[in-house]
Amino acid sequence: MLVGNKSDLRHLRSVQTEDAKSFCEKEGLSFIETSALEATNVEQAFQRILTEIYHIVSKKALASEEGVAAPASGTSIKVTDAVPDAKKKSACCST
């Protein structure tokens, strides 16, 4: 996936949208332009990349010899903090 950021700064554009789309098509990538300032396509970019990762992992799981089943369609996957609160480093020294 190729994400063009700061799409709100059109006057400072280094790569034209059509050039980026052409490159992505040639390389088999998806393309989206985002702007955090204008809140444009930021959430969609994250959703799209997570969906692509999910599909890749699901295909690999189905193709694996171990027979690990992929989550069913429509299954919610919750992403949580991998480090328990007790083991997180504090921002400051403890007194």
Side-chain angles (χ1 to χ4, degrees):
M1 173 182 234
L2 179 64
V3 178
N5 65 335
K6 299 188 182 283
S7 63
D8 54 287
L9 299 177
R10 289 166 189 81
H11 62 287
L12 297 175
R13 184 177 294 267
S14 296
V15 178
Q16 297 301 314
T17 302
E18 291 307 314
D19 293 339
K21 286 181 179 179
S22 174
F23 174 79
C24 287
E25 189 173 314
K26 183 177 77 172
E27 297 296 324
L29 302 170
S30 59
F31 173 71
I32 190 168
E33 288 187 317
T34 64
S35 168
L37 180 67
E38 296 177 344
T40 306
N41 290 335
V42 176
E43 187 172 337
Q44 291 89 338
F46 279 104
Q47 289 176 348
R48 190 181 294 176
I49 193 65
L50 288 173
T51 300
E52 289 180 21
I53 291 169
Y54 174 81
H55 288 297
I56 290 168
V57 170
S58 296
K59 285 179 186 177
K60 286 183 179 183
L62 290 173
S64 75
E65 295 176 358
E66 298 174 11
V68 176
S73 179
T75 301
S76 295
I77 299 174
K78 295 184 182 197
V79 179
T80 58
D81 208 354
V83 180
D85 288 336
K87 293 185 179 182
K88 288 184 182 178
K89 292 183 180 178
S90 64
C92 184
C93 301
S94 61
T95 56

